[in-house]
Each structure stands twice: as C-alpha cells, then as structure tokens.
Amino acid sequence: MAKQPVAVTLDDVTRVYKNVKGRPDVVAVRQASFEVAPGELVTLLGPSGCGKTTTLRMIAGFDLPSSGLIRIGGEDVTNLPPNKRDTATVFQSYGLFPHMTVAENVAYGLRVRNVPKAEQEERVRRALSLTGLSDYAERSPGRLSGGQQQRVALSRSLVVEPGVLLLDEPLSNLDALLREQMRVEIRRIQKSLGITAVYVTHDRTEAMSLSDRVIVMKDGRIRQIGSPSTIYEDPDSVFVAGFVGKVAFFPVAVEGLEGPGCACVLHGKTVRAGKRAPGVAAGKPGILMARPESLRLGAPGQGVADGTVRQNVYLGSSVETFVTTEYGELLVQVDDPAGKRIPAEGEAVSISFNEARVRVLPPETE
Amino acid sequence: MPKKTTILRFLAALALFAAVDAWVYFTLRGTLRSQEARDSESRLTLLARSAPADPENLDTWLASVPESLPGGAAVYLIPTEDPEAYETRSSDEEAARLWDSVSGGADAAKGLESAYYFENYASPQRVEYGGQRVRLFYAPVLDESESELLGIAVFLAPEAGNRTLERLFALFAVGTLVLYAALSGISRFARDPTVGYAVVILAGIAGVFIAYPLAEALRLSFLKEGRFSLEIWKDVLSGAHLQALWGSVRLGIWTASVSTVIGFVFAFAIHRTGIGGKKFLSTIAQLPVISPPFSLTLSVILLAGNNGLITRQLLGLQNFSIYGLSGLVIVQTVGMFPIAYLTLAGVLQAMDSTLEEAALDLNAGRWRAFRTVTLPLAVPGILSAWLLVFTNSLADFANPLLLAGNYRVLSVEAYIQVTGRNDLGGGAALSLLLLLPTLTAFFLQRNWVAKRSFVTVTGKPNAKLVEIASPRVRFALGAGVWTCVALILGLYGTIVAGCFVKNWGIDYSFTLSNIGEALTRGRDAIRSTVTLAAAATPVAGLLAMAAALVFVRKTFAGKRVLEALMMTPFAVPGTLLGIAYILAFNKAPLILVGTSAIIVINYVIRELPVGIESGVASLRQIDPSIEEAAKDLGADEGTVFRTIVLPLVRPAFITSMSYTFVRSMTAVSAVIFLISARWYHMTVLIYNFSENLRFGLASVLATVLIVIVLGAFALMRLLVRDTGALEKTITR
C-alpha cells in the first residue's frame, strides 16, 4: 500500500507565540533540529507543555514555525498548507466526521484527491481489513467503541498512502489494556507498510515499546535523541534519566575521568562509575544515576548508602523494595525473587550498585 | 515568513499595476477635461457672437450673460480711437473691479492682441469671482462681414469640469488598485488564499453595506444644503421631537413591564407547575413572534377600533378610542411577550428545582420559598427579558404606524419626516436619536445582565419537579394563562373572520369577494415579496455560516472590529437602516434605490447577525480536529467548508435560512423606505389597505402571509428536528 518512504527534516525550527497583553512571548519550540529517516518511527516524548504537539503540528502544517525550515522528502514545506503536504495525522480526539459512515470517513481523502470510484472502494476495503474493521464499514463512527474509532482514524490516514504518518497521542483516550493492544498494532502496521512516522506521547512505556528512536523534549527544547535503550540506559541529563524510567540519584564529586567512566566521591567514599555523560568534568560536582535493576541490597554498612526497608511490593517476576535513605526513598529491584532472601519491612539494609552499569551525569543547570 | 524574492515580485507587480492604473486614470481625465474645454470654448464663442452690434443694447446682453453662463459674468470692451484705451462695460460691479485689477497685466495684453487677430484666447490665469475660481476667456466680437472688430468680450467663466465624474474616476482607479493589491497579496502570501478572500469579501460587505450607509446617515444629519450645520440636530432636539423620544421610551417601559409580567406567568405556569396542556400553551405563546406586522393591530382595530365589533356593535361605545398609548401597549404586549416568555422559560427550566425543595425542607412556606429562592434566582433573566422587549418595542414601527393616533413615537416620526416632508437628513437624525435608548438597552442586556446569571446548568435533568404553587395559585395561574391564550387565538380568528366580511363595522354579511380582489390586487406584491425573501435566504445562510467559520476558527488582524461591525444591524432599528440605505444608495458610486438588489441586500444584512450567532454557537461545539483532519487529508478550505462544516452546522444553517425567510417576508420598518412600484412588499400593501379602511383586503393578505410563514416554519422543523435550536434563534 505504501509508496517510497520519505525523510522528514527539521532545521532550527522555533515557534514563538506572541502574547498580546504585554506579557512575555511564549517559546513553544526552541531551535529544534532532527531528521526522521525514511521508514523510521520516531517518538516525541515529554511532559505536557514541552512543545512536542506543536512540533508535530508544524510538520503537519497546522502551525507555522516562527523561524527555521521543515523538509519532507527533501522538499521545503515550511509554508505549505496542510492540504498540500504529504502527511496524514491521527488525532488525539480522532477527528472523525460524525456525518459520514466509517467507509465514507476512510474514503474522504481519496475523494478530495479525485481517485476513481472503483479504486476508492478497493483501497478503502483494504485499509479497513488492515485494521480489522471490515465488518463496520457502514456504521456511523458515533456508534463504535473508542478502540474502533481509533482504528477508523488510523485507516483514514493510511488509505491516502501518506509519505509521513503523524500520530498525536493517539492512544490517550483508550483504557490500559486496549492501549497495549493498539500499540502493538500500530507498530505492526507501520513496519509492514514501511511508512515514516512521527509519534507524540507523554507515556514513556509507549515511547520505549514503539519507537526506533525517541526524542525527549522539555520546555520547548530537545534534550536528547536516541534509541529507546540509549535513552533509558545512557541518558545525558538528570531530566531524561528521571523522565524515561525509575532511577536513584546520588550527588557526587567527580574526581577523575577513567576511560568511558569516571571515579567520584560519594559521602567520603570513592566509587567508580562505568559510564559518564558528556559534560562531566574532573573536579566538578556530578549526579550518579542508577536504575533499580542495577542496585543491590546488602547488610548494613557494606554498601554506599544505609537505610531501612519501608515496603516490599511483590510483582511476581521481581520484588520492588523501597528503602528510606539519606538520599531519599530509593527503589531497589530484586529480579527472580524466588529463593532469594528479601529483607523484611523495617529491617536495616545497605544499598550498593553495579559499577559497570551506573552513569554519572552533569548536574541539572536549569 | 515569505521569501524576499516573493515580496519583491509582489511589489514590482503592484508598481506596474499602479502605473497602468494611473496612466488610464490620467488619460481618461485628460480626455474628459480637453473635451470639456472644447465644449466650453465653443459655447463661449457662440455667446460672444450673440453680443449686439449696437452698444445701446449691450447692457441688456451683459445682464443676460449669467443666465447662459451660471456663476459667470462678462466684461465688454469697445475699442476707441486710441488703440491703447477701451470703453469698458461689465455685467456687474465685481466683474468691473476684477477687470481693473487684471487689465494692466501681460496676460490681458495677450488676450487683447489675440482678439485683434480675430482669435479666441483662453487665459491660463485663474481669478476669484463670486467666491469661485473662474478663468478668463477673450473672444472677439465681429461685425456681420467678419471683417471689423466691434468689441472684445472677456468672459469670467467658472472652472468647467465635471467634478463628480472626475471624482468617480479617481474612486474607481484607487478602488481597482486596492482590490488588486489585496487580492494579489492574498494569493501570493496567504497559505490558503480562500480564508484571505473570505475575509476581504466579508470586510467589503460590512464596509459597503453596514458602515458606509450608517456613516452616511450620520454625516448627512450634520449637513444643510451641502454645508456643515447643526440645524437638523437643533430641530431634532427641540421640544416636539423630544416628546416623540419620550413617547417611544414611555411605550417601551409600559410594554416591557407588562410583557415581562405576562411572560413570567406563562413561563412559571408552564415550566414550574403541573398545569395541563403545556405543549399547546407553549406553542401558542410563541405564535405572535412570527406573526406578520400589522396583523395584530389590524385585528385590534377590527375589534376595538372606531367601528370595532366589540366597542361599537356590542358595547355601543361612542367616545372610546383604541388609538394611542393604551392600544399600543396592548398590541405590543401581545406581539412581544413571547420574547420574555422564551427568555424566562430558558431560565426557569435551567434552574435546579432542588433549591426550592431545600427551602421548603427548611420549613419555608411555598410563597416564601418562591419569594426568597425562585424569584431572586430569576432576576437576571427577568431583567434580560425586560431589556429585550424594551429594545424591540422602541424599534417597532408597524404597530405605531397604524395605531398611534395622536400619540407620537420616534420611529413613525422619522418615517413621516422622510416620506411626508421629504427631509432625509431629519429622518436620519430622528432615527439616530432612537439608537440612543436602543443601544443602551442592548449593551446592558449583552454585557451586564447576561453575565450576571446565577443559573447553573448542572447537566442532570430534573426528573421530578417540586410543585411550589398551591392548588389555588395553580388554578389562578392557569386561568390567567388560558385567558391570554384565548385572547391571542381570538385576535388571529378575527383576522380570518375579516376575510369573509363584506364591510367590517357596517355590513357584516358573508362574502368571498375580498379574497378574489385581494389576490388580484396583491398578486404582484405577493410574488415580489416571496421572490425577494427567497433570494435573500440562501445568501444570508451561506454568508452567515462562512462568517461564523472565519470568526470561530481563524485569526486575522481586525477580526474583532469586523465581528462587531457585522453584528451591528442587530442593535440598529430597521427605520434607521432603511433611511441610511436610501441616503447612501441613491447617488454615485452605488445607485441601488429602486432596484430589487437593495431590498435583498437589506434583508441579508439585517438577518446576518442572527445567522452568525447560531453558526458560531454550533461551530463551538465541533472539535476543530475534525476540520483539521479533512485539511490534512488534502481538502482545501473551500472543500472543508462544503463537505465538513456545512453538513455539521446544518441545523444552524437551516434555522438561520428559515429565520431570514420569515423575517424578510414580515419585514416592514426598513423595507418601507426601499420599495418601489416594481418591487413592492405585502406588508406595505396590508398597511395601505388598512389605511384606506379596506379591512377585508388587508385581512386576506395578512392571512396569506401567516400561512406562508407557518409553512416555512413547518418545513424547517421537518428539516431540522431540533426545536431547541429553533427556539434559541427566535429569542434573538
């Protein structure tokens, strides 16, 4: 169904909303530059108000950059209206046409493009079968469930064979179970069509499980671009580390750089971290980050931090132990708990970490 | 941001267009001027030829010069023995003095020299004569053989030139340039030019058909014989007209107060008590809103007029007169209490009945609960209803026209000033005066009362209603309401009865001849009324929806100004708009008076605000991502409007169209100024028949109008099965 996939490039794109009543202007997106390779699914991830939806709307053409360039398939589309761009958007609220049936909704894009009637029908049929909606073609969208409406929106966007598929928090109106199903579904369809896609979400699990690459944004700025594993395991900033997963932070003083890692002082003790982020320098403060799965529990006094167990949460494949320490409440994940001794609640423990897996980050400046 | 080259290319194109535009303009003007110069030259040559050979008759000829040369004069020079000296005669003193002052100059010498060579000389010199710039034209006067110079005529000719035509050319040239700049600018710079075009078109319509006529009315009220003067306003603000203003306000206060009380009783009885026949009562209570003008007045005259059925035939009263304030209050109340009813019904319906329940629960008596809970909650609604009726009463023109008698109101006064005394400026001033209380009430209602509402919509429908009225009170309310309904039905019944009576007041025998005669005499009027209303309907509907879309979804510079301007006709009395239209459109550049276009445009402009409001309300309910999705899928603005917006706002679209149709069918206050022999209006014909005491004919036409209007509403209900939207729109 898809044609040759195209690339999307943003070059120094800034969007400023002028505030009329003497208040300062709001910078929604600040100098965003990135490229989405043909056939790639890239997620814009960030808290609400970080500019991810504005970025998507600028790619779609609903919003205009204040400065910068947007290219789709090498062509400068910065000032083109949405109807002249090779994009199709799946909206958060779906935006289904309530006065048309499912089939008419899906056929709309073909109709305005004057595709011959017979071809329209054929393509609508295929699009609906791709999303498993063949039996609902003649229904009114108002009488479908949320998940089905979501599929209609997806079919409607896919049927026009867009160069780029844009998805604006498409799953946020669905319940948890359906969300998981649709996530898999969207990824399957995107891969099978080989279509370039930009996906906006504030849900890190969604971003991790769907994307080829993730772009983490905050306050209109791109904080990091990387594969889900890079973003999770090797974040470059405290914000990214905290936003994409559970993490423990320890304030340290960096002593010296050692290979890919560094040596630093934590509470008088010298510890070694196997990794460090750019911007970490000897003689400067730093933040040591450890994911729950790289923390270990031991007898008091043995580790880097002492504390008492506040609560154990049994999850089957693992146990999450919350330990109150001087660094706040830290989460330690004990995998495969069967046969391991889990300290009881109230018990004094110490926490140590897998030095190869921890990473030192520069302190947050903002 | 547009690229530099685009801007440069646009500016270059604009400069080129401006150059061509200017060239065309100056060429045209030049042609016009030289043509005129030639014309005036030959006229003056002829005039010089008419000079008498005999010096005896010269003075008569000189005196007659201003007749053939308006605003001009002549000096006649008779050569003497001395080649340097002349005997001078002139039309008047001023001309003589003028000649004295210029005769020594080089230009005068040149003129005289030309004359000696038997040639005309048009001097480039301009002088002041009679408060006007005149040019000098030297023409030799020869004897019959054309060989001897008898004298030299020096004409002081007013600057020739068709100023109006020149100004029209200039206006046209500037207009095309602005239009070109706007359209090409939009098509070059706008991402989707459709919106730009729509805004330009809307702004053009609002400017030409709303701002321009109103500004013209205001301007002309300050002019007397072409000069600025406060005379009209002095006259308007003198005792006689102020009395009419007070008359209007007094009538408004009475009507608004009585209507609000009756409206509240209706609303309370229907929506807060267990009275029977609610649906029927509610329908009848809304009937007068759409009833044609003159029909209720006509009915009241038939029943209680000088030869009324009740007053004369049944009661035998001799000195009773329905004409005047009391009659007007009755008719207006019947016609306008539905406005109060619909407003208050909305308020009482939305009020949470558990509040009253709580009061009763706290041991308040029913009356006390009503007085301390229900009434205070309804106060903003009551004020709102009062102000709405007040505005309507002041703007009302039809009822006072027939029924005012010696009682004076402004709307009728303005009409008489225009039609009776042919004083358009005075009429404009009077109707502008009417704007004062109307606008005050309008803005009070919109910006103050409407925002002060305590009523909260909880979203859960009141399943059960607490009966706050005791059975006795309910009975009293019921009796009052049913009496009113009987009265309304009686009034309408009278009109129908009037169709079949030979000569109301004198001979009550049954006849069908009225119907035939009314339909024959009214055929053209009926046809043109329906045609014009039908022509205005789709235009107003589409325009309103397009404007609503632009206002709700787009941002552009000057949007608020445009919005306010387009909503203005809502608050402007029809009388003012009608007078403004004849003032603005009976002269260049837009001469529309007497055409059908001016009537259709007036309908569209007057009903546009209601359409826009309902369009805006209905668009606000629609998720913008629906339109974005369509655009995203490749539809341009026009296609989005046609395939998405219009179907989604269909109820508002149809309601506003039928509203326009009905209001245009029943229009009178503005259209009475704009009709012509060819394009007549049924309501005016009804008025004429009533004035000539042909009540039978008037009744037939009123009945026909009612049937058409009811038919239109029935059709609309069928098309939109959404009576809620309908009622909201009617309330205004």
Side-chain angles (χ1 to χ4, degrees):
Chain A
M1 187 181 277
K3 47 188 178 184
Q4 205 60 26
V6 297
V8 176
T9 319
L10 268 72
D11 200 351
D12 234 5
V13 168
T14 297
R15 178 66 172 103
V16 182
Y17 288 106
K18 293 255 182 273
N19 222 330
V20 265
K21 283 182 187 140
R23 279 172 296 181
D25 296 347
V26 178
V27 184
V29 176
R30 199 185 292 267
Q31 294 176 318
S33 297
F34 61 85
E35 179 169 350
V36 183
E40 190 185 26
L41 192 157
V42 166
T43 300
L44 297 171
L45 175 69
S48 58
C50 71
K52 54 191 193 298
T53 295
T54 307
T55 308
L56 190 84
R57 289 175 63 83
M58 287 192 288
I59 299 174
F62 299 126
D63 211 336
L64 276 182
S66 310
S67 65
L69 278 183
I70 298 175
R71 287 196 194 84
I72 295 178
E75 186 202 356
D76 179 1
V77 299
T78 314
N79 287 307
L80 277 187
N83 50 323
K84 303 231 174 89
R85 295 189 188 202
D86 194 12
T87 59
T89 311
V90 177
F91 293 87
Q92 185 171 11
S93 53
Y94 314 143
L96 298 179
F97 310 132
H99 58 299
M100 298 182 189
T101 64
V102 168
E104 283 167 349
N105 260 282
V106 176
Y108 186 84
L110 303 174
R111 231 173 71 211
V112 300
R113 276 157 219 232
N114 293 321
V115 171
K117 202 88 193 158
E119 194 190 333
Q120 273 185 35
E121 278 166 24
E122 173 58 22
R123 281 167 70 173
V124 168
R125 200 186 52 71
R126 264 190 294 158
L128 288 178
S129 80
L130 187 70
T131 48
L133 282 172
S134 300
D135 297 340
Y136 301 94
E138 295 315 315
R139 291 249 192 122
S140 155
R143 297 179 48 217
L144 298 180
S145 71
Q148 290 165 333
Q149 291 185 2
Q150 174 63 72
R151 284 162 204 261
V152 177
L154 190 60
S155 316
R156 189 178 63 179
S157 297
L158 290 173
V159 81
V160 297
E161 300 177 3
V164 186
L165 181 66
L166 304 172
L167 302 108
D168 183 10
E169 307 218 17
L171 305 180
S172 61
N173 288 332
L174 303 181
D175 63 54
L177 194 65
L178 207 52
R179 207 178 303 169
E180 229 160 281
Q181 280 175 11
M182 279 308 292
R183 207 156 71 196
V184 177
E185 192 96 326
I186 287 175
R187 182 59 163 164
R188 176 182 67 77
I189 293 170
Q190 183 265 335
K191 269 201 164 153
S192 73
L193 299 177
I195 195 169
T196 312
V198 181
Y199 190 106
V200 161
T201 183
H202 61 265
D203 181 329
R204 60 185 184 215
T205 331
E206 224 168 275
M208 295 288 170
S209 57
L210 269 173
S211 329
D212 293 312
R213 280 190 303 153
V214 178
I215 298 175
V216 185
M217 295 183 72
K218 190 200 178 194
D219 297 336
R221 234 186 256 278
I222 292 180
R223 300 304 298 266
Q224 193 167 357
I225 304 179
S227 67
S229 64
T230 311
I231 296 284
Y232 182 79
E233 290 165 20
D234 299 321
D236 285 341
S237 61
V238 172
F239 168 74
V240 173
F243 192 77
V244 299
K246 291 166 184 168
V247 69
F249 291 121
F250 304 91
V252 294
V254 181
E255 236 174 22
L257 309 182
E258 292 178 354
C262 62
C264 43
V265 182
L266 171 62
H267 234 256
K269 272 186 245 176
T270 299
V271 291
R272 295 205 145 61
K275 299 182 284 188
R276 65 162 200 270
V280 172
K284 291 253 174 83
I287 304 282
L288 188 144
M289 65 153 275
R291 295 287 178 199
E293 56 272 21
S294 48
L295 292 176
R296 284 191 304 264
L297 293 173
Q302 285 180 348
V304 291
D306 289 335
T308 50
V309 176
R310 192 179 63 76
Q311 194 182 10
N312 286 317
V313 178
Y314 181 72
L315 294 171
S317 62
S318 64
V319 169
E320 291 187 339
T321 303
F322 292 87
V323 182
T324 312
T325 70
E326 59 181 301
Y327 305 105
E329 190 154 281
L330 301 182
L331 168 62
V332 180
Q333 186 178 321
V334 183
D335 291 325
D336 193 14
K340 284 188 187 162
R341 199 192 81 84
I342 306 293
E345 288 173 14
E347 200 177 314
V349 290
S350 80
I351 292 174
S352 57
F353 47 69
N354 182 347
E355 289 185 348
R357 300 276 299 279
V358 300
R359 184 172 166 93
V360 176
L361 311 171
E364 200 80 336
T365 44
E366 290 159 49
Chain B
M1 280 291 106
K3 287 193 194 106
K4 262 195 193 125
T5 51
T6 323
I7 298 176
L8 284 177
R9 227 178 284 160
F10 169 68
L11 290 178
L14 199 59
L16 187 70
F17 188 91
V20 172
D21 197 42
W23 179 72
V24 168
Y25 167 68
F26 286 114
T27 315
L28 274 175
R29 201 182 67 172
T31 319
L32 192 72
R33 285 195 174 165
S34 65
Q35 178 64 41
E36 268 161 8
R38 262 201 308 281
D39 282 356
S40 88
E41 211 158 298
S42 59
R43 240 182 305 128
L44 292 173
T45 315
L46 278 176
L47 197 56
R49 285 224 184 120
S50 71
D54 185 356
E56 293 294 304
N57 300 330
L58 257 181
D59 287 331
T60 337
W61 179 77
L62 280 168
S64 73
V65 164
E67 278 168 39
S68 19
L69 192 65
V75 176
Y76 195 85
L77 311 171
I78 305 168
T80 57
E81 302 295 313
D82 178 2
E84 294 292 314
Y86 306 92
E87 184 188 340
T88 310
R89 308 272 189 90
S90 52
S91 296
D92 55 38
E93 293 281 313
E94 195 184 349
R97 253 181 283 126
L98 202 65
W99 175 249
D100 278 345
S101 67
V102 298
S103 58
D107 193 61
K110 210 169 164 192
L112 298 176
E113 197 187 325
S114 305
Y116 278 115
Y117 290 108
F118 297 180
E119 268 172 18
N120 292 333
Y121 175 65
S123 155
Q125 202 180 352
R126 297 290 179 268
V127 289
E128 194 83 11
Y129 170 77
Q132 216 179 345
R133 272 158 64 82
V134 296
R135 56 205 197 85
L136 296 169
F137 187 82
Y138 299 80
V141 180
L142 307 174
D143 70 344
E144 270 168 38
S145 63
E146 301 204 349
S147 56
E148 194 187 338
L149 186 72
L150 296 177
I152 302 164
V154 182
F155 292 105
L156 307 174
E159 209 61 273
N162 198 335
R163 291 272 157 254
T164 346
L165 204 57
E166 272 184 25
R167 216 176 300 152
L168 201 64
F169 278 156
L171 197 73
F172 188 71
V174 173
T176 34
L177 186 62
V178 169
L179 201 69
Y180 175 81
L183 294 185
S184 82
I186 287 166
S187 70
R188 265 168 214 268
F189 298 120
R191 299 169 70 221
D192 208 325
T194 323
V195 178
Y197 293 141
V199 171
V200 167
I201 291 171
L202 288 175
I205 290 173
V208 174
F209 296 116
I210 301 173
Y212 168 60
L214 290 175
E216 223 17 49
L218 189 64
R219 189 175 74 89
L220 289 175
S221 72
F222 283 105
L223 288 183
K224 193 93 187 179
E225 282 153 17
R227 278 155 209 262
F228 175 81
S229 142
L230 289 172
E231 211 165 303
I232 291 179
W233 281 101
K234 256 184 225 154
D235 177 46
V236 162
L237 294 175
S238 69
H241 291 309
L242 282 184
Q243 198 191 329
L245 172 64
W246 171 233
S248 282
V249 172
R250 197 150 63 115
L251 172 62
I253 292 173
W254 270 104
T255 302
S257 306
V258 180
S259 296
T260 308
V261 171
I262 297 182
F264 189 84
V265 169
F266 263 79
F268 190 81
I270 293 174
H271 295 286
R272 284 275 137 162
T273 68
I275 198 174
K278 287 184 176 183
K279 224 177 179 161
F280 176 73
L281 286 173
S282 172
T283 310
I284 299 300
Q286 294 172 41
L287 205 55
V289 182
I290 56 166
S291 85
F294 302 119
S295 55
L296 290 171
T297 326
L298 181 62
S299 174
V300 166
I301 291 175
L302 292 180
L303 291 175
N306 291 343
N307 257 325
L309 180 64
I310 295 174
T311 44
R312 203 56 170 277
Q313 266 67 36
L314 298 181
L315 301 175
L317 297 172
Q318 290 296 330
N319 289 324
F320 177 82
S321 172
I322 192 74
Y323 296 90
L325 180 62
S326 52
L328 279 174
V329 172
I330 293 173
V331 180
Q332 283 197 339
T333 301
V334 174
M336 293 172 191
F337 92 89
I339 299 170
Y341 162 69
L342 287 170
T343 311
L344 291 165
V347 172
L348 289 180
Q349 259 176 318
M351 201 181 282
D352 194 348
S353 135
T354 47
L355 295 174
E356 288 162 359
E357 212 168 323
L360 292 176
D361 198 42
L362 294 165
N363 286 343
R366 291 172 201 256
W367 168 243
R368 194 173 170 146
F370 173 79
R371 199 163 43 83
T372 54
V373 177
T374 318
L375 209 51
L377 282 174
V379 161
I382 290 172
L383 279 176
S384 192
W386 195 92
L387 288 169
L388 279 174
V389 177
F390 180 74
T391 321
N392 270 278
S393 162
L394 251 58
D396 184 23
F397 167 72
N399 291 319
L401 188 63
L402 264 187
L403 207 59
N406 292 327
Y407 189 78
R408 300 173 64 184
V409 298
L410 264 183
S411 53
V412 174
E413 204 93 333
Y415 172 70
I416 292 168
Q417 199 79 15
V418 170
T419 52
R421 303 192 191 133
N422 207 14
D423 175 11
L424 280 164
L430 283 174
S431 46
L432 280 168
L433 194 61
L434 186 60
L435 202 56
L436 203 73
T438 319
L439 273 187
T440 314
F442 179 76
F443 282 111
L444 267 178
Q445 198 269 328
R446 286 246 149 165
N447 300 328
W448 186 63
V449 179
K451 283 185 188 142
R452 217 146 282 243
S453 172
F454 299 120
V455 174
T456 47
V457 181
T458 46
K460 21 171 209 195
N462 302 333
K464 206 179 123 279
L465 211 109
V466 190
E467 179 76 60
I468 193 174
S470 66
R472 223 181 303 155
V473 172
R474 200 198 319 165
F475 180 78
L477 285 175
V481 168
W482 281 103
T483 313
C484 286
V485 166
L487 181 71
I488 294 170
L489 289 177
L491 287 174
Y492 284 106
T494 308
I495 302 172
V496 178
C499 300
F500 302 103
V501 169
K502 204 166 219 168
N503 197 347
W504 194 280
I506 295 154
D507 180 1
Y508 284 95
S509 53
F510 179 84
T511 177
L512 287 175
S513 63
N514 286 333
I515 297 174
E517 190 183 346
L519 292 183
T520 322
R521 291 178 61 179
R523 202 183 50 211
D524 290 342
I526 294 174
R527 197 190 298 140
S528 79
T529 309
V530 173
T531 311
L532 295 180
T537 300
V539 180
L542 283 173
L543 211 54
M545 294 308 120
L549 181 68
V550 167
F551 290 152
V552 173
R553 296 279 196 254
K554 312 290 170 193
T555 46
F556 53 90
K559 177 169 136 175
R560 295 189 127 206
V561 177
L562 184 59
E563 230 177 326
L565 195 56
M566 298 212 80
M567 296 310 282
T568 309
F570 207 61
V572 171
T575 322
L576 173 56
L577 210 59
I579 293 176
Y581 267 51
I582 27 176
L583 285 174
F585 300 122
N586 65 352
K587 58 183 181 202
L590 270 173
I591 302 173
L592 294 174
V593 168
T595 63
S596 56
I598 194 171
I599 300 178
V600 173
I601 291 168
N602 186 268
Y603 289 163
V604 171
I605 293 298
R606 284 197 73 195
E607 308 317 331
L608 212 47
V610 175
I612 293 177
E613 284 227 317
S614 67
V616 164
S618 116
L619 273 173
R620 289 231 166 96
Q621 315 264 311
I622 297 169
D623 183 356
S625 69
I626 293 175
E627 288 149 53
E628 282 180 353
K631 231 174 288 173
D632 197 44
L633 291 168
D636 56 36
E637 294 281 353
T639 313
V640 174
F641 182 69
R642 201 165 38 80
T643 58
I644 307 294
V645 177
L646 224 41
L648 288 183
V649 299
R650 184 169 148 266
F653 181 48
I654 293 174
T655 323
S656 89
M657 286 211 294
S658 62
Y659 182 84
T660 306
F661 181 76
V662 167
R663 296 259 311 166
S664 304
M665 287 296 297
T666 59
V668 57
S669 57
V671 83
I672 200 165
F673 296 102
L674 306 174
I675 48 167
S676 48
R678 189 164 144 64
W679 297 103
Y680 218 70
H681 199 285
M682 277 174 84
T683 53
V684 184
L685 199 58
I686 296 176
Y687 166 66
N688 289 344
F689 284 149
S690 311
E691 277 287 276
N692 299 327
L693 305 181
R694 300 299 307 266
F695 294 125
L697 303 182
S699 300
V700 174
L701 284 187
T703 311
V704 169
L705 204 43
I706 291 172
V707 168
I708 294 175
V709 165
L710 286 179
F713 264 86
L715 187 69
M716 183 194 58
R717 276 197 195 225
L718 219 72
L719 286 174
V720 205
R721 289 183 195 91
D722 178 9
T723 49
L726 165 76
E727 278 156 20
K728 244 184 280 155
T729 323
I730 288 174
T731 340
R732 302 194 76 179

